[in-house]
Structure formats: C-alpha cells, structure tokens
Amino acid sequence: MFKVAWLASEREMSLAGSCRLVVLGVTLLLLLAAICLAVAALLTPHWQVVFISEFHTEHQHGLWMDCIIGKKYVQDWHKAVLSMLTAALLAAFIAFCFLVCAACVRISALVANVLLLVAAILSMVGVVVFFMCSHKVDFRFVHGITRTYEQSRGYSFWLAVASSLCYLVAFTSSVLASVLIFVHDRHQHRCNKTFPKRNTAV
C-alpha cells in the first residue's frame, strides 16, 4: 500500500514536471517570436505608405525616418509610440531572461509574468495610439501638386500588432507555466515530507 501511494505520487509529480517544461518552452518560443516581430516593426519604415502617382513613387514613412526625403521626421506621437514599443521590447527581453531561470527558481516565473503583462500593455497601447493618430487628417493625407493621397498602414504596423498578440498569448502561457511550476514544487515537497528518503548507508 505504501509503495503504491509512493508510485502514484511519483507519477503525478513527473506529469506536472513534464507539463511545466512543455508550457515553459512554448512560452519562450512565443516570447522570442514577439521580440523578433517587435524589432522588425521598429527597424522597418513601412508604418504608413502611399503611392504618389504624380511622381510615380511610393512614399514610406516609419516611426523615426521618412524614406523619401531620407531625413529624420518625427512627430510627437511618433516619439510616444516609439517609446512605448521600445519599453515593451525591453520588458519582454528581461522577462525572457527570467523565464529561462523559472524552472529552477520559481520566483522568476512571477517576475516574468509581471514583465510580460507590462510588455503586452505597453505594446497594445502603442499600437492603438498609432492607429488613432494615423487617422487624423493631418497625418492621414499627403498632398501632391494636383492631388491628395491617402496613406494606408504598412506591414510594419501589422508586425507590431502581431507582436502585441504574441506578448498577450505569451503572458497567458506564462501564467499557466507558473501555476504548473508551483504545483510541481508543492508535490515535490509533499512527496519528500510524506515519503522521506531513507538512509541506506550501513
């Protein structure tokens, strides 16, 4: 009876341990994808794009560079979006470092959860601010010589949206991983307390 209970406890602890590693691995992959997408969004200038038929050219405008005139052309709301996305990226990178240690140091999982939530919120707010400001008349339309052209959102914006979604999913996965980490740790301590290791030394 004692041996059956011990085997059942060992099986339960092994299952919890395997699940936490799988979920933790998925979380790390999601977070890595979010970081890569965010970096790509920040470095590419395709946030707003318009084809100006009068000049037969495509005008690409990023958060920190105007590709046509080749100069820095930053609005205040560009700075706000850039700051929020950069802060989110920094929080995500730190969270990634904590998640790597989460399997061994369980408090790291809680810190990573907080940082991922911060990253998700900052990223989503940054995307929403860009979306709203880019719809203002002053920034939505480009005036040519005889015509007015409407700018559309380019792939850089959608990369930022995808990054925000990855942050959010990674946060959800991280919470689940944290629960499994604490459950595994609890089972391990309970098992050691209920079935203490015997000293077999003679």
Side-chain angles (χ1 to χ4, degrees):
M1 186 70 180
F2 180 84
K3 187 175 181 180
V4 171
W6 180 79
L7 289 174
S9 180
E10 282 289 320
R11 191 179 299 111
E12 186 178 358
M13 188 171 66
S14 177
L15 180 61
S18 300
C19 289
R20 69 173 179 144
L21 292 178
V22 171
V23 177
L24 193 58
V26 171
T27 304
L28 287 170
L29 289 176
L30 285 169
L31 185 52
L32 185 61
I35 291 173
C36 292
L37 289 169
V39 170
L42 289 172
L43 294 181
T44 52
H46 216 267
W47 282 81
Q48 285 180 292
V49 59
V50 60
F51 182 76
I52 304 177
S53 58
E54 293 173 275
F55 306 115
H56 301 286
T57 186
E58 184 181 62
H59 178 205
Q60 299 176 0
H61 195 88
L63 293 178
W64 53 275
M65 178 69 75
D66 189 305
C67 282
I68 292 298
I69 62 177
K71 297 179 180 178
K72 291 184 178 180
Y73 183 70
V74 183
Q75 300 285 346
D76 289 337
W77 62 277
H78 284 166
K79 295 178 183 178
V81 174
L82 190 59
S83 298
M84 283 185 280
L85 294 184
T86 303
L89 184 60
L90 180 61
F93 178 76
I94 298 174
F96 185 89
C97 296
F98 275 99
L99 279 175
V100 172
C101 306
C104 300
V105 185
R106 60 180 183 175
I107 195 66
S108 298
L110 298 180
V111 177
N113 288 342
V114 175
L115 290 170
L116 278 175
L117 180 60
V118 170
I121 291 174
L122 286 174
S123 184
M124 286 187 290
V125 171
V127 167
V128 170
V129 169
F130 180 87
F131 181 83
M132 294 177 64
C133 291
S134 64
H135 273 73
K136 292 183 178 180
V137 176
D138 293 341
F139 310 117
R140 185 177 179 181
F141 297 98
V142 174
H143 299 285
I145 299 176
T146 59
R147 297 179 58 185
T148 299
Y149 303 90
E150 182 179 2
Q151 296 191 96
S152 60
R153 289 172 297 280
Y155 65 80
S156 298
F157 170 79
W158 297 111
L159 286 174
V161 172
S163 176
S164 298
L165 292 176
C166 284
Y167 283 141
L168 191 59
V169 177
F171 167 70
T172 305
S173 179
S174 178
V175 171
L176 178 58
S178 299
V179 171
L180 291 173
I181 287 171
F182 277 86
V183 167
H184 176 266
D185 188 74
R186 181 181 177 184
H187 278 301
Q188 191 174 29
H189 281 80
R190 188 173 63 182
C191 182
N192 292 336
K193 186 176 180 180
T194 307
F195 309 107
K197 294 182 179 180
R198 297 182 179 180
N199 188 3
T200 57
V202 178

